[in-house]
Amino acid sequence: AAAAAAALAPPCGVGVNTIDLLWRRLPVGGDPLGPAQTKKAMRDAVGNGLNFGRTSASGYWPVDMDLWRNASTRAAYWKIVDGMVQDAREAGFGLGLCIMFNHWVPADMCGEPFSQLLTNSTSCAQTLLHTYTQELVTRYGQDRTVVFWELTNELNLIVDLDMENRTTGCAPQMGTPAFRSKADNFSTTDMIAFMTTWAGWVRQLDPMHRPISSGYSLPRAQAEHLRKSYHQPQRDWGNDTRAEFAKNLREINAMVDLASVHMYSGSSERFNMTTDPDSAAMVAVAAEALRGSPHTLYLGEYGQPLDARYPRQKQPRIYTHNALRAVVQNNVTVSTLWVWEMMGQNTTFAVYPEEDQALVAAMQQAGKQLHC
């Protein structure tokens, strides 16, 4: 099913991932500095002309979501989310809310295989997700602080795989199983049908008809080969052609407005285009794949970790700067850098305006050059 046109236009500019605004406020793990530091992060972003961020609107682990699932503490959970949204509103910071960033959570909370979430409309997992989506979208549907919805994060990186004995998304102490199994397997067909259903819930509930993002990463280099071999004894890990990449990108995003891709160093080493890991040539390839479609390309994540060979003030960040140039050259009007003032990645990917002035200046300049 094709995406219906969103009534509220997506934000236009260079934004950031402030993915942990809620995680640092939830009680599991106890982070007393979370509210103050995440509030500062939003104010810092706006102060530097970066006016919107991609943010998880749910806890990362099943144990984080117990506060919501328990009827006696659900009001306390929403009060915490309310606080995050209020701080964003006061800062003038737009939120792109990712409804269920960790897609494993509903199934793990229910003790069901992941495939039940995608394929069984009466499963505990899908019922739980529908309830959460309904409460979230209804609660903030009238609040212009929310600038777009996103369904989940990088679901397309586990599609068509054999999950037997994998530990993907597993941390038993946080409420997950120890291993995944074949019962967790799902196909691209399953994924498209499920994402179409989920996007439909959001559209029905949102009175402002905001744009919806898939939250997908860049499709795997072998995505269409894996898709075609899902029911075979062995998966086909052959590389896709450029045409197959374009087909996959368009079809898996058919139900959304913002066709999300995540790109990092090495993402452009496809189709014999380049062997340079710092090339951002795939931005143009993705933009070309969507040309003529109703979808807006959304570069939902891009960035690179600190290079230990250089001091903080002199980080080259070649890939990130190349990605920003590609954003301007291809007029990618919605993008969010990974990642803004994230405590858990403060020695790797996290960007701080007081320490990373050159990169922040490049982001500001790129935003001014976009044709909105």
Side-chain angles (χ1 to χ4, degrees):
L8 191 68
C12 181
V14 173
V16 291
N17 271 272
T18 45
I19 205 70
D20 63 342
L21 297 182
L22 179 59
W23 299 342
R24 293 195 61 196
R25 292 163 183 248
L26 291 173
V28 176
D31 184 356
L33 297 177
Q37 289 185 350
T38 54
K39 186 173 183 176
K40 173 186 178 296
M42 289 186 274
R43 292 185 180 276
D44 284 350
V46 173
N48 284 277
L50 310 170
N51 297 321
F52 63 94
R54 173 178 177 250
T55 301
S56 176
S58 52
Y60 189 83
W61 295 110
V63 292
D64 295 315
M65 294 302 290
D66 284 342
L67 191 70
W68 169 77
R69 193 179 192 190
N70 187 329
S72 67
T73 58
R74 186 169 293 191
Y77 173 86
W78 285 120
K79 185 175 180 180
I80 294 170
V81 185
D82 287 345
M84 175 190 76
V85 175
Q86 179 178 335
D87 285 347
R89 186 185 310 117
E90 291 175 355
F93 186 69
L95 296 174
L97 291 183
C98 185
I99 297 170
M100 191 61 66
F101 183 89
N102 184 352
H103 39 253
W104 295 102
V105 165
D108 287 348
M109 289 182 73
C110 289
E112 292 180 338
F114 190 68
S115 59
Q116 289 293 295
L117 171 65
L118 275 74
T119 64
N120 184 353
S121 63
T122 63
S123 66
C124 168
Q126 196 171 127
T127 301
L128 184 149
L129 180 64
H130 181 266
T131 301
Y132 189 77
T133 300
Q134 185 175 44
E135 291 185 9
L136 179 77
V137 177
T138 301
R139 194 174 191 91
Y140 304 112
Q142 299 284 0
D143 195 329
R144 287 186 173 271
T145 306
V146 180
V147 293
F148 66 86
W149 305 107
E150 183 168 84
L151 300 182
T152 187
N153 179 63
E154 299 187 345
L155 183 60
N156 63 323
L157 292 188
I158 59 169
V159 69
D160 297 315
L161 301 183
D162 184 358
M163 301 305 297
E164 182 73 14
N165 291 323
R166 291 178 183 255
T167 57
T168 307
C170 291
Q173 72 277 16
M174 305 305 283
T176 78
F179 299 95
R180 303 297 173 189
S181 74
K182 287 186 182 297
D184 295 304
N185 294 356
F186 65 101
S187 68
T188 295
T189 299
D190 297 331
M191 182 176 74
I192 290 172
F194 168 68
M195 293 287 275
T196 301
T197 296
W198 195 358
W201 297 341
V202 176
R203 286 202 176 86
Q204 187 175 27
L205 292 164
D206 182 10
M208 296 176 69
H209 302 291
R210 293 168 181 81
I212 300 171
S213 162
S214 60
Y216 292 139
S217 186
L218 191 70
R220 285 183 180 273
Q222 308 84 9
E224 279 297 296
H225 283 71
L226 289 166
R227 180 182 184 179
K228 293 172 185 174
S229 63
Y230 177 71
H231 294 290
Q232 302 302 316
Q234 298 293 327
R235 301 295 195 272
D236 182 353
W237 285 87
N239 288 328
D240 292 347
T241 64
R242 189 162 167 165
E244 287 171 326
F245 164 80
K247 174 180 182 292
N248 185 272
L249 185 67
R250 291 172 74 135
E251 290 181 0
I252 65 174
N253 283 287
M255 74 298 296
V256 296
D257 311 288
L258 300 176
S260 169
V261 294
H262 299 168
M263 298 189 195
Y264 291 93
S265 299
S267 290
S268 296
E269 295 180 73
R270 300 189 187 191
F271 318 130
N272 297 315
M273 289 193 304
T274 181
T275 57
D276 178 8
D278 287 325
S279 169
M282 275 302 291
V283 175
V285 175
E288 175 62 28
L290 294 173
R291 192 157 289 127
S293 79
H295 312 297
T296 298
L297 178 63
Y298 168 35
L299 184 56
E301 292 183 19
Y302 66 98
Q304 65 192 124
L306 295 174
D307 188 328
R309 296 173 297 176
Y310 301 92
R312 185 73 188 234
Q313 301 284 347
K314 295 184 178 180
Q315 286 289 313
R317 285 193 163 103
I318 296 171
Y319 173 76
T320 310
H321 284 279
N322 285 342
L324 283 167
R325 280 189 282 271
V327 160
V328 173
Q329 290 164 0
N330 296 279
N331 202 43
V332 180
T333 54
V334 194
S335 64
T336 44
L337 174 91
W338 186 271
V339 61
W340 187 257
E341 297 191 23
M342 185 175 182
M343 185 180 69
Q345 297 193 8
N346 60 340
T347 60
T348 53
F349 283 88
V351 172
Y352 296 85
E354 56 270 26
E355 296 182 309
D356 302 298
Q357 295 97 330
L359 177 56
V360 172
M363 295 169 69
Q364 293 170 339
Q365 184 62 27
K368 293 174 183 176
Q369 292 177 281
L370 294 171
H371 301 290
C372 296

